[in-house]
Amino acid sequence: MDGPPSLEKNASPDPSGEDWMREAIRLARTGMLTSSGGPFGAVVVCEGSVVGRGFNQVTQLCDPTAHAEVTAIREACHALQRFELRGCFLYTTCEPCPMCLSAIYWARLDKVYFASTRLEAAAAGFDDEFIYGQIPLAVSARTLPMEQLFPEAAAELFREWSVNPDKTLY
């Protein structure tokens, strides 16, 4: 998605969210038909306005983080000029993957509405169960090798952050 989205007021507020979910589905189809990525679309709604739109652009942008939800969150934050989305809702065509779910929590969205489940996505070849299974494992038990380096230097960064009176908490 190029540039910030317009703060488009929904002509007739849709308390059920059906119009916003239809927009997410339309975006997903657009992405699929332009070979941008998988069948995923999302919109962020704030005070009756769509403030962020996204569709999966993983293959088009060669960016594994270019999921619909992440793209919509980025656009909404840009449009609202803030790094959190309290008071906003996400409508997405599929139950969020672990990465998108993390982004949703970090953005502090009020609620998520989704259409398909992660099991339906898995049946179509998008299986995130492996990642869901890796998260609760100890670092040493994960299949991706991970090794800690320079813990003392990193701890110093946290000490500096802790005493910085000008920091912005998030």
Side-chain angles (χ1 to χ4, degrees):
M1 314 293 306
D2 294 325
S6 62
L7 297 179
E8 178 182 299
K9 192 75 173 171
N10 191 340
S12 57
D14 180 14
S16 71
E18 291 177 7
D19 290 341
W20 294 316
M21 186 60 78
R22 282 188 188 96
E23 174 66 0
I25 291 167
R26 185 193 69 74
L27 289 166
R29 185 165 283 114
T30 296
M32 276 190 339
L33 295 176
T34 58
S35 299
S36 296
F40 305 99
V43 296
V44 175
V45 174
C46 185
E47 298 179 5
S49 296
V50 174
V51 295
R53 289 181 172 81
F55 56 85
N56 187 290
Q57 298 178 67
V58 168
T59 57
Q60 177 188 23
L61 299 178
C62 298
D63 179 354
T65 70
H67 288 203
E69 298 91 337
V70 171
T71 302
I73 288 169
R74 288 175 180 159
E75 286 198 0
C77 288
H78 182 76
L80 297 173
Q81 289 298 288
R82 58 188 212 215
F83 56 80
E84 53 81 25
L85 296 172
R86 287 180 177 91
C88 299
F89 303 92
L90 179 75
Y91 292 82
T92 181
T93 58
C94 190
E95 182 179 355
C97 75
M99 176 185 70
C100 293
L101 185 60
S102 296
I104 290 162
Y105 274 107
W106 280 115
R108 293 167 174 72
L109 286 147
D110 284 7
K111 188 169 184 176
V112 175
Y113 297 90
F114 64 94
S116 297
T117 67
R118 68 192 211 200
L119 297 176
E120 291 167 313
F126 298 94
D127 194 356
D128 301 322
E129 284 306 312
F130 172 75
I131 299 170
Y132 278 110
Q134 291 287 298
I135 292 169
L137 297 177
V139 171
S140 61
R142 294 180 182 155
T143 59
L144 177 66
M146 301 176 103
E147 182 178 341
Q148 186 176 20
L149 293 175
F150 301 116
E152 301 84 13
E156 181 60 29
L157 292 172
F158 284 118
R159 284 191 289 278
E160 291 173 25
W161 171 261
S162 297
V163 299
N164 179 352
D166 298 322
K167 66 181 171 260
T168 301
L169 296 175
Y170 58 95

Short mmCIF file of all heavy atoms in Angstrom, two decimals, residues 21-87:
data_model
loop_
_atom_site.label_atom_id
_atom_site.label_comp_id
_atom_site.label_asym_id
_atom_site.label_seq_id
_atom_site.Cartn_x
_atom_site.Cartn_y
_atom_site.Cartn_z
N MET A 21 -15.42 -6.11 7.32
CA MET A 21 -14.90 -7.43 6.98
C MET A 21 -14.97 -7.63 5.47
O MET A 21 -14.05 -8.21 4.88
CB MET A 21 -15.67 -8.53 7.71
CG MET A 21 -15.06 -9.91 7.50
SD MET A 21 -13.33 -10.07 8.07
CE MET A 21 -13.60 -10.24 9.83
N ARG A 22 -16.02 -7.14 4.83
CA ARG A 22 -16.09 -7.24 3.36
C ARG A 22 -14.92 -6.49 2.71
O ARG A 22 -14.38 -6.93 1.70
CB ARG A 22 -17.42 -6.68 2.86
CG ARG A 22 -18.57 -7.61 3.04
CD ARG A 22 -19.83 -7.09 2.34
NE ARG A 22 -20.96 -7.91 2.69
CZ ARG A 22 -21.83 -7.62 3.67
NH1 ARG A 22 -21.72 -6.51 4.36
NH2 ARG A 22 -22.83 -8.44 3.94
N GLU A 23 -14.55 -5.35 3.29
CA GLU A 23 -13.40 -4.60 2.77
C GLU A 23 -12.12 -5.42 2.93
O GLU A 23 -11.28 -5.46 2.03
CB GLU A 23 -13.29 -3.24 3.45
CG GLU A 23 -12.06 -2.45 3.09
CD GLU A 23 -11.97 -1.99 1.64
OE1 GLU A 23 -12.89 -2.27 0.83
OE2 GLU A 23 -10.95 -1.36 1.28
N ALA A 24 -11.95 -6.08 4.07
CA ALA A 24 -10.78 -6.93 4.28
C ALA A 24 -10.75 -8.06 3.25
O ALA A 24 -9.69 -8.37 2.68
CB ALA A 24 -10.77 -7.49 5.70
N ILE A 25 -11.89 -8.65 2.98
CA ILE A 25 -11.97 -9.72 1.98
C ILE A 25 -11.67 -9.18 0.59
O ILE A 25 -10.95 -9.82 -0.20
CB ILE A 25 -13.36 -10.40 2.05
CG1 ILE A 25 -13.47 -11.18 3.37
CG2 ILE A 25 -13.60 -11.30 0.84
CD1 ILE A 25 -14.87 -11.65 3.71
N ARG A 26 -12.17 -7.99 0.27
CA ARG A 26 -11.87 -7.37 -1.03
C ARG A 26 -10.36 -7.14 -1.18
O ARG A 26 -9.78 -7.42 -2.23
CB ARG A 26 -12.63 -6.04 -1.16
CG ARG A 26 -12.46 -5.39 -2.54
CD ARG A 26 -12.95 -3.95 -2.56
NE ARG A 26 -12.09 -3.06 -1.79
CZ ARG A 26 -10.88 -2.64 -2.17
NH1 ARG A 26 -10.36 -3.04 -3.31
NH2 ARG A 26 -10.18 -1.81 -1.41
N LEU A 27 -9.74 -6.65 -0.12
CA LEU A 27 -8.29 -6.43 -0.16
C LEU A 27 -7.53 -7.74 -0.34
O LEU A 27 -6.56 -7.80 -1.10
CB LEU A 27 -7.83 -5.74 1.13
CG LEU A 27 -8.23 -4.27 1.27
CD1 LEU A 27 -8.04 -3.80 2.71
CD2 LEU A 27 -7.44 -3.41 0.31
N ALA A 28 -7.96 -8.78 0.34
CA ALA A 28 -7.31 -10.09 0.20
C ALA A 28 -7.40 -10.56 -1.25
O ALA A 28 -6.40 -11.03 -1.81
CB ALA A 28 -7.98 -11.11 1.12
N ARG A 29 -8.56 -10.41 -1.85
CA ARG A 29 -8.74 -10.83 -3.23
C ARG A 29 -7.85 -10.00 -4.16
O ARG A 29 -7.23 -10.52 -5.08
CB ARG A 29 -10.21 -10.72 -3.63
CG ARG A 29 -10.49 -11.27 -5.02
CD ARG A 29 -11.97 -11.51 -5.27
NE ARG A 29 -12.40 -12.73 -4.60
CZ ARG A 29 -13.26 -12.77 -3.58
NH1 ARG A 29 -13.79 -11.67 -3.11
NH2 ARG A 29 -13.58 -13.92 -3.03
N THR A 30 -7.78 -8.70 -3.92
CA THR A 30 -6.92 -7.83 -4.72
C THR A 30 -5.48 -8.31 -4.65
O THR A 30 -4.79 -8.40 -5.67
CB THR A 30 -7.01 -6.37 -4.22
OG1 THR A 30 -8.34 -5.90 -4.41
CG2 THR A 30 -6.03 -5.46 -4.95
N GLY A 31 -5.00 -8.60 -3.47
CA GLY A 31 -3.63 -9.09 -3.31
C GLY A 31 -3.39 -10.39 -4.04
O GLY A 31 -2.36 -10.57 -4.70
N MET A 32 -4.35 -11.30 -3.94
CA MET A 32 -4.22 -12.59 -4.63
C MET A 32 -4.19 -12.40 -6.14
O MET A 32 -3.35 -12.99 -6.82
CB MET A 32 -5.41 -13.50 -4.31
CG MET A 32 -5.28 -14.27 -3.04
SD MET A 32 -6.57 -15.54 -2.82
CE MET A 32 -7.90 -15.06 -3.87
N LEU A 33 -5.10 -11.59 -6.66
CA LEU A 33 -5.21 -11.42 -8.11
C LEU A 33 -4.04 -10.67 -8.71
O LEU A 33 -3.79 -10.76 -9.92
CB LEU A 33 -6.53 -10.72 -8.46
CG LEU A 33 -7.79 -11.53 -8.13
CD1 LEU A 33 -9.05 -10.72 -8.43
CD2 LEU A 33 -7.80 -12.86 -8.88
N THR A 34 -3.30 -9.92 -7.90
CA THR A 34 -2.12 -9.21 -8.39
C THR A 34 -0.84 -9.97 -8.04
O THR A 34 0.25 -9.44 -8.20
CB THR A 34 -2.05 -7.79 -7.81
OG1 THR A 34 -2.03 -7.85 -6.39
CG2 THR A 34 -3.24 -6.95 -8.28
N SER A 35 -1.00 -11.20 -7.57
CA SER A 35 0.14 -12.06 -7.20
C SER A 35 1.06 -11.39 -6.19
O SER A 35 2.28 -11.56 -6.23
CB SER A 35 0.92 -12.47 -8.45
OG SER A 35 0.09 -13.21 -9.33
N SER A 36 0.47 -10.64 -5.27
CA SER A 36 1.26 -9.97 -4.23
C SER A 36 1.60 -10.90 -3.08
O SER A 36 2.60 -10.72 -2.41
CB SER A 36 0.48 -8.76 -3.68
OG SER A 36 0.29 -7.82 -4.70
N GLY A 37 0.74 -11.88 -2.85
CA GLY A 37 0.93 -12.80 -1.74
C GLY A 37 -0.32 -13.63 -1.53
O GLY A 37 -1.17 -13.72 -2.40
N GLY A 38 -0.43 -14.19 -0.34
CA GLY A 38 -1.54 -15.08 -0.02
C GLY A 38 -2.87 -14.37 0.16
O GLY A 38 -2.96 -13.14 0.11
N PRO A 39 -3.91 -15.15 0.41
CA PRO A 39 -5.29 -14.64 0.47
C PRO A 39 -5.65 -14.00 1.81
O PRO A 39 -6.53 -14.46 2.53
CB PRO A 39 -6.12 -15.90 0.23
CG PRO A 39 -5.31 -16.99 0.85
CD PRO A 39 -3.87 -16.61 0.59
N PHE A 40 -4.95 -12.92 2.13
CA PHE A 40 -5.16 -12.29 3.43
C PHE A 40 -5.34 -10.78 3.26
O PHE A 40 -4.59 -10.14 2.52
CB PHE A 40 -3.97 -12.55 4.35
CG PHE A 40 -3.65 -14.01 4.51
CD1 PHE A 40 -2.62 -14.60 3.78
CD2 PHE A 40 -4.39 -14.80 5.37
CE1 PHE A 40 -2.34 -15.95 3.91
CE2 PHE A 40 -4.12 -16.16 5.51
CZ PHE A 40 -3.09 -16.73 4.78
N GLY A 41 -6.33 -10.23 3.96
CA GLY A 41 -6.57 -8.80 3.94
C GLY A 41 -6.98 -8.34 5.33
O GLY A 41 -7.49 -9.13 6.14
N ALA A 42 -6.77 -7.05 5.61
CA ALA A 42 -7.10 -6.52 6.94
C ALA A 42 -7.37 -5.03 6.86
O ALA A 42 -6.81 -4.33 6.01
CB ALA A 42 -5.94 -6.78 7.91
N VAL A 43 -8.23 -4.56 7.76
CA VAL A 43 -8.45 -3.12 7.93
C VAL A 43 -8.46 -2.79 9.41
O VAL A 43 -8.89 -3.59 10.24
CB VAL A 43 -9.77 -2.62 7.27
CG1 VAL A 43 -9.74 -2.80 5.76
CG2 VAL A 43 -10.99 -3.29 7.86
N VAL A 44 -7.98 -1.59 9.73
CA VAL A 44 -8.04 -1.06 11.08
C VAL A 44 -9.09 0.05 11.06
O VAL A 44 -9.06 0.93 10.19
CB VAL A 44 -6.69 -0.50 11.56
CG1 VAL A 44 -6.81 0.16 12.93
CG2 VAL A 44 -5.64 -1.62 11.60
N VAL A 45 -10.01 -0.01 12.01
CA VAL A 45 -11.10 0.95 12.10
C VAL A 45 -10.99 1.70 13.42
O VAL A 45 -10.78 1.09 14.48
CB VAL A 45 -12.47 0.24 12.00
CG1 VAL A 45 -13.61 1.21 12.22
CG2 VAL A 45 -12.59 -0.47 10.66
N CYS A 46 -11.11 3.03 13.34
CA CYS A 46 -11.07 3.87 14.53
C CYS A 46 -12.20 4.90 14.44
O CYS A 46 -12.25 5.64 13.45
CB CYS A 46 -9.71 4.56 14.65
SG CYS A 46 -9.49 5.51 16.15
N GLU A 47 -13.05 4.91 15.43
CA GLU A 47 -14.16 5.87 15.49
C GLU A 47 -14.97 5.90 14.20
O GLU A 47 -15.31 6.97 13.68
CB GLU A 47 -13.64 7.26 15.84
CG GLU A 47 -12.98 7.32 17.21
CD GLU A 47 -12.44 8.70 17.55
OE1 GLU A 47 -12.64 9.66 16.78
OE2 GLU A 47 -11.80 8.80 18.61
N GLY A 48 -15.27 4.72 13.66
CA GLY A 48 -16.09 4.63 12.46
C GLY A 48 -15.38 4.92 11.15
O GLY A 48 -16.02 4.99 10.12
N SER A 49 -14.06 5.07 11.19
CA SER A 49 -13.28 5.34 9.99
C SER A 49 -12.25 4.24 9.76
O SER A 49 -11.64 3.76 10.70
CB SER A 49 -12.52 6.67 10.13
OG SER A 49 -13.39 7.74 10.24
N VAL A 50 -12.05 3.88 8.51
CA VAL A 50 -10.95 2.99 8.15
C VAL A 50 -9.69 3.84 8.14
O VAL A 50 -9.59 4.80 7.38
CB VAL A 50 -11.19 2.33 6.78
CG1 VAL A 50 -9.96 1.52 6.36
CG2 VAL A 50 -12.42 1.45 6.82
N VAL A 51 -8.75 3.50 9.01
CA VAL A 51 -7.50 4.26 9.11
C VAL A 51 -6.28 3.47 8.63
O VAL A 51 -5.19 4.03 8.54
CB VAL A 51 -7.27 4.79 10.55
CG1 VAL A 51 -8.34 5.79 10.93
CG2 VAL A 51 -7.21 3.64 11.56
N GLY A 52 -6.47 2.20 8.34
CA GLY A 52 -5.38 1.38 7.83
C GLY A 52 -5.91 0.22 7.03
O GLY A 52 -6.89 -0.41 7.44
N ARG A 53 -5.29 -0.03 5.90
CA ARG A 53 -5.65 -1.16 5.05
C ARG A 53 -4.40 -1.96 4.74
O ARG A 53 -3.32 -1.38 4.63
CB ARG A 53 -6.24 -0.67 3.73
CG ARG A 53 -7.60 -0.06 3.80
CD ARG A 53 -8.06 0.37 2.39
NE ARG A 53 -9.44 0.78 2.40
CZ ARG A 53 -9.85 2.00 2.78
NH1 ARG A 53 -8.98 2.90 3.16
NH2 ARG A 53 -11.14 2.29 2.76
N GLY A 54 -4.58 -3.25 4.55
CA GLY A 54 -3.44 -4.06 4.15
C GLY A 54 -3.87 -5.35 3.49
O GLY A 54 -4.94 -5.87 3.79
N PHE A 55 -3.05 -5.82 2.60
CA PHE A 55 -3.19 -7.18 2.07
C PHE A 55 -1.81 -7.80 2.04
O PHE A 55 -0.80 -7.10 2.13
CB PHE A 55 -3.88 -7.21 0.69
CG PHE A 55 -3.21 -6.38 -0.37
CD1 PHE A 55 -2.16 -6.90 -1.12
CD2 PHE A 55 -3.66 -5.10 -0.65
CE1 PHE A 55 -1.55 -6.13 -2.11
CE2 PHE A 55 -3.07 -4.34 -1.65
CZ PHE A 55 -2.02 -4.85 -2.37
N ASN A 56 -1.77 -9.09 1.98
CA ASN A 56 -0.50 -9.80 2.03
C ASN A 56 0.35 -9.42 0.82
O ASN A 56 -0.12 -9.51 -0.32
CB ASN A 56 -0.76 -11.31 2.06
CG ASN A 56 0.50 -12.09 2.28
OD1 ASN A 56 1.34 -12.15 1.40
ND2 ASN A 56 0.64 -12.70 3.44
N GLN A 57 1.57 -8.96 1.08
CA GLN A 57 2.49 -8.55 0.02
C GLN A 57 3.85 -9.24 0.16
O GLN A 57 4.87 -8.72 -0.29
CB GLN A 57 2.68 -7.03 0.05
CG GLN A 57 1.40 -6.26 -0.20
CD GLN A 57 1.62 -4.77 -0.10
OE1 GLN A 57 2.31 -4.18 -0.93
NE2 GLN A 57 1.04 -4.15 0.92
N VAL A 58 3.84 -10.39 0.79
CA VAL A 58 5.09 -11.10 1.07
C VAL A 58 5.89 -11.37 -0.20
O VAL A 58 7.08 -11.06 -0.27
CB VAL A 58 4.80 -12.41 1.84
CG1 VAL A 58 6.04 -13.30 1.90
CG2 VAL A 58 4.29 -12.09 3.25
N THR A 59 5.26 -11.94 -1.21
CA THR A 59 6.02 -12.30 -2.41
C THR A 59 6.34 -11.09 -3.27
O THR A 59 7.41 -11.02 -3.86
CB THR A 59 5.28 -13.37 -3.23
OG1 THR A 59 3.98 -12.89 -3.59
CG2 THR A 59 5.13 -14.67 -2.44
N GLN A 60 5.44 -10.13 -3.32
CA GLN A 60 5.67 -8.93 -4.14
C GLN A 60 6.83 -8.10 -3.59
O GLN A 60 7.67 -7.61 -4.35
CB GLN A 60 4.41 -8.07 -4.17
CG GLN A 60 4.59 -6.76 -4.93
CD GLN A 60 3.38 -5.85 -4.79
OE1 GLN A 60 2.62 -5.95 -3.85
NE2 GLN A 60 3.23 -4.96 -5.75
N LEU A 61 6.89 -7.93 -2.28
CA LEU A 61 7.92 -7.10 -1.66
C LEU A 61 9.15 -7.89 -1.22
O LEU A 61 10.11 -7.29 -0.73
CB LEU A 61 7.34 -6.35 -0.46
CG LEU A 61 6.18 -5.39 -0.75
CD1 LEU A 61 5.67 -4.77 0.54
CD2 LEU A 61 6.60 -4.32 -1.76
N CYS A 62 9.11 -9.22 -1.37
CA CYS A 62 10.18 -10.09 -0.85
C CYS A 62 10.43 -9.76 0.62
O CYS A 62 11.56 -9.57 1.07
CB CYS A 62 11.45 -9.93 -1.68
SG CYS A 62 11.26 -10.42 -3.39
N ASP A 63 9.33 -9.69 1.38
CA ASP A 63 9.37 -9.29 2.79
C ASP A 63 8.47 -10.23 3.59
O ASP A 63 7.24 -10.14 3.50
CB ASP A 63 8.89 -7.85 2.93
CG ASP A 63 8.87 -7.35 4.37
OD1 ASP A 63 9.12 -8.14 5.31
OD2 ASP A 63 8.58 -6.16 4.56
N PRO A 64 9.05 -11.13 4.37
CA PRO A 64 8.24 -12.08 5.12
C PRO A 64 7.38 -11.42 6.21
O PRO A 64 6.49 -12.06 6.75
CB PRO A 64 9.27 -13.03 5.74
CG PRO A 64 10.53 -12.25 5.78
CD PRO A 64 10.48 -11.31 4.61
N THR A 65 7.61 -10.14 6.51
CA THR A 65 6.79 -9.45 7.49
C THR A 65 5.64 -8.67 6.86
O THR A 65 4.86 -8.04 7.58
CB THR A 65 7.62 -8.49 8.36
OG1 THR A 65 8.06 -7.38 7.56
CG2 THR A 65 8.81 -9.18 8.99
N ALA A 66 5.50 -8.70 5.56
CA ALA A 66 4.48 -7.90 4.87
C ALA A 66 3.13 -8.60 4.86
O ALA A 66 2.48 -8.74 3.83
CB ALA A 66 4.94 -7.56 3.45
N HIS A 67 2.70 -9.03 6.04
CA HIS A 67 1.38 -9.65 6.18
C HIS A 67 0.32 -8.56 6.20
O HIS A 67 0.60 -7.39 6.51
CB HIS A 67 1.31 -10.45 7.49
CG HIS A 67 2.10 -11.71 7.45
ND1 HIS A 67 1.83 -12.77 8.29
CD2 HIS A 67 3.17 -12.10 6.70
CE1 HIS A 67 2.69 -13.75 8.06
NE2 HIS A 67 3.51 -13.36 7.10
N ALA A 68 -0.90 -8.92 5.91
CA ALA A 68 -2.01 -7.96 5.83
C ALA A 68 -2.18 -7.19 7.13
O ALA A 68 -2.32 -5.96 7.12
CB ALA A 68 -3.30 -8.69 5.48
N GLU A 69 -2.16 -7.90 8.25
CA GLU A 69 -2.39 -7.24 9.54
C GLU A 69 -1.27 -6.26 9.88
O GLU A 69 -1.53 -5.14 10.33
CB GLU A 69 -2.51 -8.29 10.66
CG GLU A 69 -3.67 -9.24 10.51
CD GLU A 69 -3.34 -10.52 9.74
OE1 GLU A 69 -2.37 -10.53 8.94
OE2 GLU A 69 -4.07 -11.51 9.93
N VAL A 70 -0.03 -6.65 9.65
CA VAL A 70 1.11 -5.78 9.94
C VAL A 70 1.05 -4.54 9.05
O VAL A 70 1.27 -3.41 9.52
CB VAL A 70 2.45 -6.54 9.77
CG1 VAL A 70 3.63 -5.59 9.85
CG2 VAL A 70 2.56 -7.64 10.83
N THR A 71 0.72 -4.73 7.78
CA THR A 71 0.62 -3.60 6.86
C THR A 71 -0.49 -2.64 7.28
O THR A 71 -0.30 -1.42 7.30
CB THR A 71 0.38 -4.11 5.42
OG1 THR A 71 1.46 -4.98 5.07
CG2 THR A 71 0.31 -2.98 4.43
N ALA A 72 -1.63 -3.18 7.66
CA ALA A 72 -2.75 -2.34 8.10
C ALA A 72 -2.41 -1.60 9.39
O ALA A 72 -2.74 -0.42 9.55
CB ALA A 72 -4.00 -3.20 8.29
N ILE A 73 -1.72 -2.26 10.31
CA ILE A 73 -1.30 -1.62 11.56
C ILE A 73 -0.32 -0.49 11.27
O ILE A 73 -0.44 0.61 11.82
CB ILE A 73 -0.69 -2.66 12.53
CG1 ILE A 73 -1.80 -3.55 13.10
CG2 ILE A 73 0.10 -1.97 13.65
CD1 ILE A 73 -1.29 -4.77 13.85
N ARG A 74 0.64 -0.74 10.39
CA ARG A 74 1.61 0.31 10.03
C ARG A 74 0.90 1.53 9.44
O ARG A 74 1.21 2.67 9.78
CB ARG A 74 2.64 -0.24 9.05
CG ARG A 74 3.63 -1.19 9.68
CD ARG A 74 4.54 -1.80 8.63
NE ARG A 74 5.49 -2.71 9.25
CZ ARG A 74 6.13 -3.66 8.59
NH1 ARG A 74 5.93 -3.82 7.29
NH2 ARG A 74 6.98 -4.45 9.22
N GLU A 75 -0.02 1.28 8.53
CA GLU A 75 -0.74 2.40 7.90
C GLU A 75 -1.60 3.15 8.91
O GLU A 75 -1.68 4.38 8.87
CB GLU A 75 -1.60 1.90 6.74
CG GLU A 75 -0.77 1.55 5.54
CD GLU A 75 -1.60 1.48 4.26
OE1 GLU A 75 -2.82 1.71 4.30
OE2 GLU A 75 -0.99 1.20 3.22
N ALA A 76 -2.24 2.43 9.81
CA ALA A 76 -3.09 3.08 10.82
C ALA A 76 -2.24 3.94 11.75
O ALA A 76 -2.62 5.09 12.05
CB ALA A 76 -3.87 2.03 11.61
N CYS A 77 -1.12 3.42 12.19
CA CYS A 77 -0.25 4.20 13.07
C CYS A 77 0.26 5.45 12.35
O CYS A 77 0.30 6.54 12.94
CB CYS A 77 0.92 3.36 13.55
SG CYS A 77 0.45 2.11 14.78
N HIS A 78 0.60 5.30 11.09
CA HIS A 78 1.06 6.45 10.31
C HIS A 78 -0.06 7.48 10.16
O HIS A 78 0.15 8.68 10.34
CB HIS A 78 1.56 5.99 8.94
CG HIS A 78 2.10 7.08 8.10
ND1 HIS A 78 3.34 7.65 8.31
CD2 HIS A 78 1.56 7.74 7.05
CE1 HIS A 78 3.53 8.62 7.43
NE2 HIS A 78 2.47 8.69 6.65
N ALA A 79 -1.26 7.02 9.83
CA ALA A 79 -2.39 7.92 9.63
C ALA A 79 -2.76 8.65 10.92
O ALA A 79 -3.09 9.84 10.90
CB ALA A 79 -3.60 7.15 9.11
N LEU A 80 -2.71 7.94 12.05
CA LEU A 80 -3.08 8.54 13.33
C LEU A 80 -1.91 9.23 14.02
O LEU A 80 -2.09 9.87 15.05
CB LEU A 80 -3.68 7.46 14.24
CG LEU A 80 -4.98 6.82 13.74
CD1 LEU A 80 -5.38 5.66 14.63
CD2 LEU A 80 -6.09 7.85 13.62
N GLN A 81 -0.70 9.05 13.47
CA GLN A 81 0.52 9.64 14.03
C GLN A 81 0.73 9.24 15.49
O GLN A 81 0.99 10.08 16.36
CB GLN A 81 0.51 11.16 13.87
CG GLN A 81 0.69 11.62 12.43
CD GLN A 81 2.03 11.18 11.86
OE1 GLN A 81 3.06 11.70 12.24
NE2 GLN A 81 2.02 10.20 10.96
N ARG A 82 0.64 7.93 15.73
CA ARG A 82 0.92 7.39 17.07
C ARG A 82 1.36 5.94 16.94
O ARG A 82 1.09 5.29 15.92
CB ARG A 82 -0.29 7.53 17.99
CG ARG A 82 -1.54 6.86 17.50
CD ARG A 82 -2.73 7.21 18.37
NE ARG A 82 -3.65 6.10 18.41
CZ ARG A 82 -4.96 6.23 18.47
NH1 ARG A 82 -5.51 7.42 18.53
NH2 ARG A 82 -5.74 5.18 18.50
N PHE A 83 2.05 5.44 17.94
CA PHE A 83 2.60 4.09 17.86
C PHE A 83 1.74 3.04 18.56
O PHE A 83 2.15 1.89 18.67
CB PHE A 83 4.04 4.04 18.41
CG PHE A 83 4.18 4.53 19.82
CD1 PHE A 83 3.87 3.73 20.90
CD2 PHE A 83 4.64 5.81 20.07
CE1 PHE A 83 4.01 4.19 22.19
CE2 PHE A 83 4.79 6.28 21.35
CZ PHE A 83 4.47 5.47 22.42
N GLU A 84 0.57 3.42 19.01
CA GLU A 84 -0.35 2.45 19.58
C GLU A 84 -1.75 2.74 19.04
O GLU A 84 -2.03 3.84 18.57
CB GLU A 84 -0.31 2.47 21.11
CG GLU A 84 -0.50 3.84 21.74
CD GLU A 84 -1.94 4.30 21.84
OE1 GLU A 84 -2.86 3.46 21.87
OE2 GLU A 84 -2.17 5.52 21.86
N LEU A 85 -2.61 1.73 19.08
CA LEU A 85 -3.93 1.85 18.45
C LEU A 85 -5.06 1.56 19.42
O LEU A 85 -6.04 0.89 19.07
CB LEU A 85 -3.98 0.91 17.23
CG LEU A 85 -3.01 1.25 16.11
CD1 LEU A 85 -3.01 0.15 15.04
CD2 LEU A 85 -3.32 2.61 15.50
N ARG A 86 -4.94 2.07 20.63
CA ARG A 86 -6.06 1.95 21.57
C ARG A 86 -7.27 2.64 20.95
O ARG A 86 -7.14 3.68 20.30
CB ARG A 86 -5.72 2.60 22.91
CG ARG A 86 -4.74 1.80 23.72
CD ARG A 86 -4.43 2.51 25.06
NE ARG A 86 -3.54 1.72 25.88
CZ ARG A 86 -2.23 1.82 25.87
NH1 ARG A 86 -1.63 2.67 25.07
NH2 ARG A 86 -1.49 1.06 26.66
N GLY A 87 -8.45 2.06 21.15
CA GLY A 87 -9.66 2.63 20.58
C GLY A 87 -9.91 2.18 19.15
O GLY A 87 -10.86 2.62 18.52
#
